[in-house]
Every structure is written in structure tokens, then in C-alpha cells.
Coordinates of all heavy atoms in Angstrom, one line a residue:
M1 N 0.8 -1.2 0.0 CA 0.0 0.0 0.0 C 0.9 1.2 0.0 O 0.6 2.2 -0.8 CB -0.9 0.0 1.2 CG -1.7 1.3 1.3 SD -3.3 0.9 2.0 CE -3.7 2.6 2.3
I2 N 1.9 1.3 0.8 CA 2.7 2.5 0.8 C 3.5 2.6 -0.4 O 3.6 3.8 -0.9 CB 3.8 2.3 2.0 CG1 3.1 2.4 3.4 CG2 4.9 3.4 1.9 CD1 4.0 2.1 4.6
Q3 N 3.8 1.6 -1.1 CA 4.5 1.7 -2.4 C 3.7 2.3 -3.4 O 4.0 3.2 -4.2 CB 4.9 0.2 -2.9 CG 5.7 0.3 -4.2 CD 6.3 -0.9 -4.6 OE1 6.1 -1.9 -3.9 NE2 7.0 -1.0 -5.7
R4 N 2.3 2.0 -3.5 CA 1.4 2.7 -4.4 C 1.2 4.2 -4.1 O 1.1 5.0 -5.0 CB 0.1 2.0 -4.4 CG 0.0 0.6 -5.0 CD -1.3 0.1 -5.1 NE -2.1 0.3 -3.9 CZ -2.9 -0.6 -3.4 NH1 -3.4 -1.5 -4.2 NH2 -3.5 -0.4 -2.3
I5 N 1.2 4.6 -2.9 CA 1.1 6.0 -2.5 C 2.3 6.6 -3.0 O 2.3 7.8 -3.5 CB 0.9 6.1 -1.0 CG1 -0.5 5.5 -0.6 CG2 1.0 7.5 -0.5 CD1 -0.7 5.3 0.9
V6 N 3.5 6.1 -2.7 CA 4.7 6.7 -3.1 C 4.9 6.8 -4.6 O 5.3 7.8 -5.1 CB 5.9 6.0 -2.4 CG1 7.2 6.6 -2.9 CG2 5.9 6.0 -0.9
E7 N 4.4 5.8 -5.3 CA 4.5 5.8 -6.7 C 3.6 7.0 -7.4 O 4.1 7.7 -8.2 CB 4.0 4.5 -7.3 CG 5.0 3.4 -7.2 CD 4.6 2.1 -7.7 OE1 3.3 1.9 -8.0 OE2 5.3 1.0 -7.8
R8 N 2.4 7.2 -6.7 CA 1.5 8.3 -7.2 C 2.2 9.6 -6.9 O 2.1 10.4 -7.7 CB 0.2 8.2 -6.6 CG -0.8 7.2 -7.2 CD -2.2 7.3 -6.7 NE -2.2 6.3 -5.6 CZ -2.9 6.3 -4.5 NH1 -3.7 7.3 -4.4 NH2 -2.9 5.3 -3.6
Y9 N 2.8 9.7 -5.7 CA 3.6 10.8 -5.3 C 4.6 11.2 -6.3 O 4.9 12.3 -6.7 CB 4.1 10.7 -3.9 CG 4.9 11.9 -3.4 CD1 4.4 13.1 -3.1 CD2 6.3 11.8 -3.4 CE1 5.2 14.1 -2.7 CE2 7.2 12.8 -3.0 CZ 6.6 14.0 -2.7 OH 7.4 15.0 -2.3
C10 N 5.4 10.2 -6.6 CA 6.5 10.4 -7.6 C 6.1 10.7 -8.9 O 6.8 11.6 -9.6 CB 7.4 9.1 -7.7 SG 8.4 8.8 -6.2
L11 N 5.0 10.2 -9.4 CA 4.4 10.6 -10.7 C 4.0 12.1 -10.7 O 4.3 12.8 -11.6 CB 3.2 9.8 -11.0 CG 3.5 8.3 -11.5 CD1 2.2 7.6 -11.6 CD2 4.3 8.3 -12.7
K12 N 3.4 12.6 -9.5 CA 3.1 13.9 -9.4 C 4.2 14.8 -9.5 O 4.3 15.9 -10.0 CB 2.2 14.2 -8.2 CG 0.8 13.6 -8.4 CD 0.0 13.8 -7.1 CE -1.4 13.2 -7.1 NZ -2.2 13.4 -5.9
Q13 N 5.2 14.4 -8.6 CA 6.5 15.2 -8.5 C 7.2 15.3 -9.9 O 7.7 16.3 -10.3 CB 7.5 14.6 -7.5 CG 7.1 14.8 -6.1 CD 7.0 16.3 -5.7 OE1 6.0 17.0 -5.6 NE2 8.2 17.0 -5.6
A14 N 7.2 14.2 -10.6 CA 7.8 14.2 -12.0 C 7.1 15.2 -12.9 O 7.7 15.9 -13.7 CB 7.8 12.8 -12.6
D15 N 5.7 15.2 -12.8 CA 5.0 16.1 -13.6 C 5.4 17.6 -13.2 O 5.5 18.4 -14.1 CB 3.5 15.9 -13.5 CG 3.0 14.6 -14.1 OD1 3.7 14.2 -15.0 OD2 2.0 14.1 -13.8
I16 N 5.4 17.8 -12.0 CA 5.8 19.2 -11.5 C 7.2 19.6 -12.0 O 7.3 20.7 -12.5 CB 5.7 19.3 -9.9 CG1 4.3 19.2 -9.4 CG2 6.4 20.5 -9.4 CD1 4.1 18.9 -7.9
I17 N 8.1 18.7 -11.9 CA 9.5 18.9 -12.3 C 9.5 19.3 -13.8 O 10.1 20.3 -14.2 CB 10.4 17.7 -12.0 CG1 10.6 17.6 -10.4 CG2 11.8 18.0 -12.7 CD1 11.1 16.3 -10.0
N18 N 8.8 18.4 -14.6 CA 8.8 18.6 -16.1 C 8.1 20.0 -16.4 O 8.6 20.7 -17.3 CB 8.2 17.5 -16.8 CG 9.0 16.3 -16.7 OD1 10.3 16.3 -16.6 ND2 8.3 15.1 -16.6
K19 N 7.1 20.3 -15.7 CA 6.4 21.5 -16.0 C 7.2 22.7 -15.6 O 7.3 23.7 -16.4 CB 5.1 21.6 -15.1 CG 4.2 22.9 -15.3 CD 3.0 22.8 -14.5 CE 2.8 24.2 -14.0 NZ 2.3 24.3 -12.6
L20 N 7.9 22.7 -14.5 CA 8.8 23.9 -14.1 C 10.0 23.9 -15.1 O 10.3 25.1 -15.5 CB 9.2 23.6 -12.7 CG 8.3 23.8 -11.6 CD1 8.9 23.4 -10.2 CD2 7.8 25.3 -11.5
K21 N 10.5 22.8 -15.5 CA 11.6 22.9 -16.5 C 11.1 23.6 -17.8 O 11.9 24.4 -18.4 CB 12.2 21.5 -16.7 CG 13.1 21.0 -15.6 CD 13.6 19.6 -16.0 CE 14.5 19.1 -15.0 NZ 15.1 17.8 -15.4
K22 N 10.0 23.1 -18.2 CA 9.5 23.7 -19.6 C 9.2 25.1 -19.4 O 9.6 25.9 -20.3 CB 8.2 22.9 -20.0 CG 7.6 23.4 -21.3 CD 6.4 22.6 -21.6 CE 5.8 23.0 -23.0 NZ 5.9 24.3 -23.4
E23 N 8.6 25.5 -18.3 CA 8.3 27.0 -18.2 C 9.6 27.8 -18.0 O 9.7 28.9 -18.6 CB 7.5 27.2 -16.8 CG 6.1 26.8 -16.8 CD 5.5 26.8 -15.5 OE1 6.0 27.2 -14.5 OE2 4.2 26.5 -15.4
N24 N 10.6 27.3 -17.5 CA 11.8 27.9 -17.3 C 12.5 28.1 -18.7 O 13.0 29.2 -19.0 CB 12.8 27.2 -16.3 CG 13.8 27.9 -15.6 OD1 13.6 29.2 -15.5 ND2 14.8 27.4 -15.3
I25 N 12.6 27.0 -19.4 CA 13.1 27.1 -20.8 C 12.4 28.1 -21.7 O 13.0 28.9 -22.4 CB 13.1 25.7 -21.5 CG1 14.1 24.8 -20.7 CG2 13.5 25.8 -22.9 CD1 14.1 23.4 -21.1
D26 N 11.0 28.1 -21.6 CA 10.2 29.0 -22.4 C 10.5 30.4 -22.0 O 10.6 31.3 -22.9 CB 8.7 28.6 -22.3 CG 8.3 27.3 -22.8 OD1 9.1 26.8 -23.7 OD2 7.2 26.8 -22.6
A27 N 10.6 30.7 -20.7 CA 10.9 32.1 -20.3 C 12.3 32.5 -20.8 O 12.4 33.7 -21.1 CB 10.7 32.2 -18.8
C28 N 13.2 31.6 -20.7 CA 14.6 31.9 -21.1 C 14.6 32.3 -22.6 O 15.3 33.2 -23.1 CB 15.6 30.9 -20.8 SG 15.9 30.7 -19.1
L29 N 13.9 31.5 -23.4 CA 13.8 31.8 -24.8 C 13.2 33.1 -25.2 O 13.5 33.7 -26.1 CB 13.2 30.6 -25.5 CG 14.0 29.3 -25.5 CD1 13.1 28.2 -26.2 CD2 15.3 29.4 -26.2
A30 N 12.1 33.4 -24.4 CA 11.4 34.6 -24.6 C 12.1 35.9 -24.3 O 11.9 36.9 -24.9 CB 10.0 34.5 -23.9
D31 N 12.9 35.8 -23.2 CA 13.7 37.1 -22.8 C 15.0 36.8 -22.4 O 15.2 35.9 -21.4 CB 12.8 37.6 -21.6 CG 13.4 38.9 -21.0 OD1 14.3 39.5 -21.6 OD2 13.0 39.4 -20.0
N32 N 16.0 37.3 -23.0 CA 17.3 37.1 -22.7 C 17.7 37.5 -21.3 O 18.7 36.9 -20.7 CB 18.3 37.7 -23.7 CG 18.2 37.1 -25.1 OD1 17.8 36.0 -25.3 ND2 18.5 38.0 -26.1
S33 N 17.2 38.4 -20.7 CA 17.6 38.9 -19.4 C 16.9 38.1 -18.3 O 17.2 38.3 -17.1 CB 17.1 40.4 -19.2 OG 15.8 40.5 -19.2
Y34 N 16.1 37.1 -18.7 CA 15.3 36.3 -17.7 C 16.4 35.5 -16.8 O 16.1 35.3 -15.6 CB 14.4 35.4 -18.4 CG 13.6 34.5 -17.4 CD1 12.6 35.0 -16.7 CD2 14.0 33.2 -17.3 CE1 11.9 34.3 -15.7 CE2 13.3 32.4 -16.4 CZ 12.3 32.9 -15.6 OH 11.6 32.1 -14.7
K35 N 17.4 35.0 -17.4 CA 18.4 34.2 -16.7 C 19.0 34.9 -15.5 O 19.5 34.2 -14.5 CB 19.5 33.7 -17.6 CG 19.1 32.5 -18.4 CD 20.3 31.8 -18.9 CE 19.9 30.4 -19.4 NZ 21.0 29.5 -19.4
D36 N 19.1 36.2 -15.5 CA 19.6 36.9 -14.4 C 18.6 37.4 -13.5 O 18.9 38.1 -12.4 CB 20.4 38.2 -14.9 CG 21.5 37.8 -15.8 OD1 22.1 36.8 -15.5 OD2 21.9 38.6 -16.8
S37 N 17.3 37.0 -13.7 CA 16.2 37.6 -12.8 C 16.0 36.7 -11.6 O 16.4 35.6 -11.5 CB 14.9 37.7 -13.6 OG 14.5 36.4 -13.9
L38 N 15.3 37.2 -10.6 CA 15.1 36.6 -9.4 C 14.0 35.5 -9.7 O 14.1 34.4 -9.1 CB 14.4 37.6 -8.4 CG 14.0 37.0 -7.0 CD1 15.2 36.4 -6.4 CD2 13.4 38.0 -6.2
A39 N 13.1 35.7 -10.6 CA 12.1 34.7 -11.0 C 12.8 33.4 -11.5 O 12.4 32.3 -11.1 CB 11.1 35.2 -12.0
H40 N 13.8 33.6 -12.3 CA 14.5 32.4 -12.8 C 15.2 31.6 -11.7 O 15.0 30.4 -11.6 CB 15.7 32.9 -13.8 CG 16.6 31.8 -14.2 ND1 16.2 30.7 -15.0 CD2 17.9 31.5 -13.8 CE1 17.2 29.9 -15.2 NE2 18.3 30.4 -14.5
H41 N 15.8 32.3 -10.7 CA 16.5 31.6 -9.6 C 15.5 31.0 -8.6 O 15.8 29.9 -8.1 CB 17.3 32.7 -8.8 CG 18.5 33.1 -9.7 ND1 19.5 32.3 -10.1 CD2 18.8 34.3 -10.2 CE1 20.4 32.9 -10.8 NE2 20.0 34.2 -10.9
R42 N 14.3 31.6 -8.5 CA 13.3 31.0 -7.6 C 12.7 29.7 -8.3 O 12.4 28.8 -7.6 CB 12.2 32.0 -7.4 CG 12.7 33.0 -6.4 CD 11.5 33.6 -5.6 NE 12.0 34.5 -4.6 CZ 11.4 35.6 -4.2 NH1 10.3 35.9 -4.8 NH2 11.9 36.4 -3.2
R43 N 12.5 29.8 -9.6 CA 12.0 28.6 -10.3 C 13.0 27.5 -10.3 O 12.6 26.4 -10.0 CB 11.7 28.9 -11.7 CG 10.9 27.8 -12.4 CD 10.4 28.2 -13.7 NE 9.2 29.0 -13.6 CZ 8.7 29.9 -14.4 NH1 9.4 30.4 -15.4 NH2 7.6 30.6 -14.2
K44 N 14.3 27.9 -10.4 CA 15.4 26.8 -10.3 C 15.3 26.2 -8.9 O 15.5 25.0 -8.8 CB 16.7 27.4 -10.6 CG 17.0 27.8 -12.1 CD 17.3 26.5 -12.9 CE 18.7 26.1 -12.8 NZ 19.0 25.0 -13.7
Q45 N 15.1 27.1 -7.9 CA 15.1 26.6 -6.5 C 13.8 25.6 -6.4 O 14.0 24.5 -5.7 CB 15.0 27.7 -5.6 CG 14.9 27.3 -4.1 CD 14.8 28.6 -3.2 OE1 14.2 29.6 -3.6 NE2 15.4 28.6 -2.1
R46 N 12.7 25.9 -6.9 CA 11.6 25.0 -6.8 C 11.8 23.7 -7.5 O 11.4 22.7 -7.1 CB 10.4 25.7 -7.4 CG 9.8 26.8 -6.6 CD 8.7 27.6 -7.1 NE 7.7 26.9 -7.7 CZ 6.9 27.4 -8.7 NH1 7.1 28.6 -9.1 NH2 6.0 26.6 -9.2
I47 N 12.5 23.7 -8.7 CA 12.9 22.5 -9.4 C 13.9 21.6 -8.5 O 13.6 20.5 -8.4 CB 13.6 22.9 -10.7 CG1 12.6 23.5 -11.7 CG2 14.2 21.6 -11.4 CD1 13.2 24.1 -12.9
V48 N 14.8 22.3 -7.9 CA 15.7 21.5 -7.0 C 15.0 20.9 -5.9 O 15.2 19.7 -5.5 CB 16.9 22.4 -6.6 CG1 17.7 21.7 -5.5 CG2 17.9 22.7 -7.8
I49 N 14.1 21.6 -5.3 CA 13.4 21.1 -4.1 C 12.5 19.9 -4.5 O 12.5 18.9 -3.9 CB 12.6 22.2 -3.4 CG1 13.5 23.2 -2.7 CG2 11.5 21.6 -2.5 CD1 12.8 24.5 -2.3
A50 N 11.8 20.1 -5.7 CA 10.9 19.0 -6.2 C 11.7 17.8 -6.5 O 11.3 16.6 -6.3 CB 10.1 19.5 -7.3
T51 N 12.8 18.0 -7.1 CA 13.7 16.9 -7.5 C 14.3 16.1 -6.3 O 14.3 15.0 -6.3 CB 14.9 17.3 -8.4 OG1 14.3 18.0 -9.5 CG2 15.8 16.2 -8.9
T52 N 14.7 16.9 -5.3 CA 15.2 16.3 -4.1 C 14.1 15.4 -3.3 O 14.4 14.4 -2.9 CB 15.6 17.4 -3.0 OG1 16.6 18.2 -3.7 CG2 16.1 16.8 -1.8
K53 N 12.9 16.0 -3.3 CA 11.8 15.1 -2.7 C 11.5 13.8 -3.5 O 11.4 12.8 -2.9 CB 10.5 15.9 -2.7 CG 10.4 17.1 -1.7 CD 9.2 17.9 -1.8 CE 9.1 19.1 -0.9 NZ 7.8 19.8 -1.0
Y54 N 11.5 14.0 -4.8 CA 11.4 12.8 -5.7 C 12.4 11.8 -5.5 O 12.1 10.6 -5.3 CB 11.3 13.3 -7.2 CG 11.3 12.3 -8.2 CD1 10.0 11.8 -8.7 CD2 12.4 11.8 -8.9 CE1 10.0 10.8 -9.6 CE2 12.4 10.8 -9.8 CZ 11.2 10.3 -10.2 OH 11.1 9.4 -11.2
N55 N 13.7 12.2 -5.5 CA 14.8 11.3 -5.4 C 14.9 10.7 -4.0 O 15.2 9.6 -3.8 CB 16.2 12.0 -5.8 CG 16.3 12.3 -7.2 OD1 15.7 11.7 -8.0 ND2 17.1 13.3 -7.5
T56 N 14.5 11.4 -3.0 CA 14.5 10.9 -1.7 C 13.4 9.8 -1.5 O 13.6 8.8 -0.8 CB 14.2 11.9 -0.6 OG1 15.2 13.0 -0.8 CG2 14.2 11.5 0.8
A57 N 12.2 10.1 -2.1 CA 11.2 9.0 -2.1 C 11.6 7.8 -2.8 O 11.2 6.7 -2.3 CB 9.9 9.6 -2.7
I58 N 12.3 7.9 -3.8 CA 12.8 6.7 -4.5 C 13.8 6.0 -3.6 O 13.8 4.8 -3.6 CB 13.4 7.1 -5.9 CG1 12.3 7.5 -6.9 CG2 14.3 6.0 -6.5 CD1 12.8 8.0 -8.2
D59 N 14.7 6.7 -3.1 CA 15.7 6.2 -2.2 C 15.1 5.4 -1.0 O 15.6 4.3 -0.7 CB 16.7 7.2 -1.7 CG 17.7 7.6 -2.6 OD1 18.0 6.9 -3.6 OD2 18.4 8.7 -2.4
L60 N 14.1 5.9 -0.4 CA 13.6 5.4 0.8 C 12.5 4.2 0.5 O 12.5 3.2 1.3 CB 12.8 6.4 1.6 CG 13.7 7.5 2.2 CD1 12.9 8.5 2.9 CD2 14.8 6.9 3.1
F61 N 11.8 4.3 -0.6 CA 10.7 3.4 -0.8 C 10.7 2.6 -2.1 O 10.1 1.5 -2.3 CB 9.3 4.1 -0.7 CG 9.1 4.7 0.6 CD1 9.2 6.1 0.8 CD2 8.7 4.0 1.7 CE1 9.0 6.7 2.0 CE2 8.5 4.6 2.9 CZ 8.6 6.0 3.1
L62 N 11.3 3.1 -3.1 CA 11.2 2.5 -4.5 C 12.6 2.1 -5.1 O 12.7 2.4 -6.3 CB 10.4 3.4 -5.4 CG 9.1 3.9 -4.9 CD1 8.5 5.0 -5.8 CD2 8.1 2.8 -4.8
R63 N 13.4 1.6 -4.4 CA 14.8 1.3 -5.0 C 14.7 0.4 -6.1 O 15.5 0.5 -7.1 CB 15.6 0.7 -3.9 CG 16.0 1.7 -2.9 CD 17.1 1.2 -1.9 NE 17.3 2.2 -0.9 CZ 18.2 2.2 0.0 NH1 19.0 1.1 -0.1 NH2 18.3 3.1 0.9
D64 N 13.9 -0.7 -6.1 CA 13.8 -1.7 -7.2 C 12.6 -1.4 -8.1 O 11.9 -2.5 -8.4 CB 13.8 -3.1 -6.5 CG 15.1 -3.3 -5.7 OD1 16.1 -2.9 -6.1 OD2 15.0 -4.1 -4.7
S65 N 12.3 -0.3 -8.4 CA 11.1 0.0 -9.2 C 11.6 0.6 -10.6 O 12.7 0.8 -10.9 CB 10.1 0.9 -8.5 OG 10.7 2.2 -8.5
K66 N 10.5 1.0 -11.4 CA 10.8 1.5 -12.7 C 11.1 3.0 -12.6 O 11.6 3.5 -13.6 CB 9.4 1.4 -13.5 CG 8.3 2.2 -13.0 CD 7.0 2.1 -13.8 CE 6.0 3.0 -13.1 NZ 4.8 3.0 -13.9
F67 N 11.1 3.6 -11.5 CA 11.3 5.0 -11.3 C 12.8 5.2 -11.3 O 13.6 4.5 -10.6 CB 10.7 5.6 -10.0 CG 9.2 5.7 -10.1 CD1 8.4 4.6 -9.6 CD2 8.6 6.7 -10.8 CE1 7.1 4.7 -9.7 CE2 7.2 6.9 -10.8 CZ 6.5 5.8 -10.3
K68 N 13.3 6.2 -12.0 CA 14.7 6.5 -12.1 C 15.0 7.9 -11.4 O 14.1 8.7 -11.5 CB 15.2 6.4 -13.5 CG 15.1 5.2 -14.2 CD 15.9 4.1 -13.6 CE 15.6 2.7 -14.3 NZ 15.8 1.6 -13.4
K69 N 16.1 8.1 -10.9 CA 16.4 9.3 -10.3 C 16.5 10.5 -11.4 O 17.0 10.2 -12.5 CB 17.7 9.3 -9.5 CG 17.5 8.6 -8.2 CD 18.8 8.8 -7.4 CE 18.6 8.2 -6.0 NZ 19.8 8.4 -5.1
I70 N 16.1 11.6 -11.0 CA 16.3 12.8 -11.9 C 17.6 13.6 -11.5 O 17.6 13.9 -10.4 CB 15.1 13.7 -11.9 CG1 13.8 12.8 -12.5 CG2 15.2 14.9 -12.8 CD1 12.5 13.5 -12.2
E71 N 18.3 14.0 -12.4 CA 19.5 14.9 -12.2 C 19.1 16.3 -12.6 O 18.5 16.5 -13.5 CB 20.7 14.4 -12.9 CG 21.2 13.1 -12.3 CD 22.5 12.6 -13.0 OE1 23.3 13.5 -13.4 OE2 22.7 11.4 -13.1
V72 N 19.6 17.3 -11.8 CA 19.2 18.7 -12.1 C 20.6 19.5 -12.1 O 21.4 19.2 -11.3 CB 18.4 19.3 -11.0 CG1 18.1 20.7 -11.2 CG2 17.1 18.6 -10.9
E73 N 20.6 20.3 -13.1 CA 21.8 21.2 -13.2 C 21.5 22.5 -12.3 O 20.4 23.1 -12.4 CB 22.0 21.7 -14.6 CG 22.4 20.6 -15.6 CD 22.5 21.1 -16.9 OE1 22.7 22.3 -17.2 OE2 22.4 20.3 -17.9
L74 N 22.6 22.8 -11.5 CA 22.3 24.0 -10.7 C 22.8 25.3 -11.4 O 23.6 25.3 -12.2 CB 23.1 23.8 -9.4 CG 22.6 22.7 -8.5 CD1 23.5 22.6 -7.2 CD2 21.2 22.9 -8.1

């Protein structure tokens, strides 16, 4: 039962991570000065936090599953 809950959580976290990455890339392409903005750094921070939660859940509960860890560039 715990494994199913964690799997659903990981799927949601993966969706959040992908959405944030896409928004970040789109914003960078739209405005060259975006990379130096506070919004860019906050979004990167949210990506790192979501990825850390995702990877920790995999480490603790889903070591032998289909889920793979996500790496993030800082």
C-alpha cells in the first residue's frame, strides 16, 4: 500500500518537475535577461526542491522499481 502511494507521489513530482523545467526554458527563450532575474532563480530553486523530494522518495521506498532518479543542473 505504501508503495502505491509513493508511486503516485513520484508521478506527481515528476509532472511538477517537467512543468517547471518547460516553463523555465520557455521564459529563457522569450527574454534574454530572464536568466539573471529573481524569478529564474526561484524557479530553479523550486525545481531542485521538487527533485530532491522525488529522489528521496525513490531512495527510501522505491529502490527496485521503474522509477529512475532525476538529475538537475544548478
Side-chain angles (χ1 to χ4, degrees):
M1 174 144 170
I2 292 175
Q3 184 173 357
R4 286 190 308 213
I5 293 169
V6 175
E7 285 176 353
R8 278 187 269 150
Y9 174 78
C10 285
L11 288 173
K12 287 180 183 179
Q13 284 299 106
D15 288 341
I16 291 169
I17 294 165
N18 290 331
K19 180 182 141 214
L20 288 170
K21 283 182 179 180
K22 184 181 180 322
E23 288 174 359
N24 207 25
I25 290 171
D26 291 345
C28 286
L29 292 174
D31 183 10
N32 290 337
S33 64
Y34 179 76
K35 278 198 166 203
D36 297 327
S37 71
L38 181 61
H40 171 71
H41 294 292
R42 287 205 175 147
R43 188 170 281 146
K44 289 285 277 187
Q45 183 181 31
R46 288 173 47 206
I47 292 170
V48 169
I49 291 169
T51 303
T52 302
K53 289 178 180 180
Y54 174 87
N55 288 339
T56 302
I58 289 173
D59 281 342
L60 295 176
F61 299 102
L62 304 175
R63 288 187 188 190
D64 299 327
S65 72
K66 65 180 179 176
F67 292 94
K68 303 295 178 207
K69 287 188 173 186
I70 297 174
E71 294 184 26
V72 175
E73 294 178 21
L74 296 179

